[in-house]
Amino acid sequence: MLITVLITMVSVGILSTLVYLVSTVRSLKGRLKTLALEMVDFHTYVDNKEVEQAREHDRFSDDVDIRFDRVHRKVGKNQEEVYQNLERLEIKLPETIRKVIGHIEFARPLDNTK
């Protein structure tokens, strides 16, 4: 009879341990599912942020390219105008100098005292 009581106590102990282990495993399964869902949500969040940052970078890059193109066109246009003005000046300058020198040579004095 003592053996029966000991076997019963051991089996009750083992059974309670098994019940505890089963409840712990179920709890861990629930936590694991929650963590898996949170991890998927986190990856989705990170992917969305990465896509958003890529779009923002592309928009910024396009904006910078457009602004550089505008500046380049304006500088090119101004450069062409400067070169045209220099060419006109090179053509007109000798003639203007001749006119001024001729005017100085044949000019009468302004005071007319002589």
Side-chain angles (χ1 to χ4, degrees):
M1 181 151 169
L2 182 62
I3 294 177
T4 310
V5 171
L6 286 174
I7 290 175
T8 305
M9 288 177 66
V10 169
S11 41
V12 167
I14 291 174
L15 187 62
S16 66
T17 304
L18 286 176
V19 168
Y20 172 75
L21 289 176
V22 167
S23 68
T24 304
V25 166
R26 285 184 183 160
S27 173
L28 288 175
K29 274 186 176 179
R31 286 184 183 173
L32 185 63
K33 284 181 184 177
T34 303
L35 287 174
L37 290 175
E38 287 178 2
M39 195 165 82
V40 168
D41 289 344
F42 178 73
H43 281 292
T44 303
Y45 172 78
V46 168
D47 289 343
N48 288 340
K49 281 295 185 181
E50 184 178 351
V51 168
E52 182 182 323
Q53 288 296 324
R55 285 182 186 153
E56 187 176 324
H57 178 268
D58 289 343
R59 273 189 246 127
F60 179 76
S61 177
D62 291 344
D63 187 40
V64 167
D65 287 343
I66 289 169
R67 289 181 185 196
F68 278 144
D69 288 344
R70 286 180 186 163
V71 168
H72 180 71
R73 273 189 258 130
K74 284 185 179 183
V75 167
K77 192 175 185 180
N78 290 341
Q79 187 178 11
E80 288 176 15
E81 289 177 9
V82 166
Y83 284 139
Q84 288 174 357
N85 288 337
L86 279 175
E87 287 177 4
R88 274 190 240 128
L89 186 64
E90 285 177 355
I91 292 171
K92 291 182 179 179
L93 187 62
E95 183 179 328
T96 306
I97 291 173
R98 277 190 220 110
K99 284 182 183 178
V100 169
I101 290 174
H103 183 59
I104 290 172
E105 286 179 353
F106 298 113
R108 291 189 222 155
L110 292 176
D111 55 6
N112 286 332
T113 55
K114 292 185 179 182

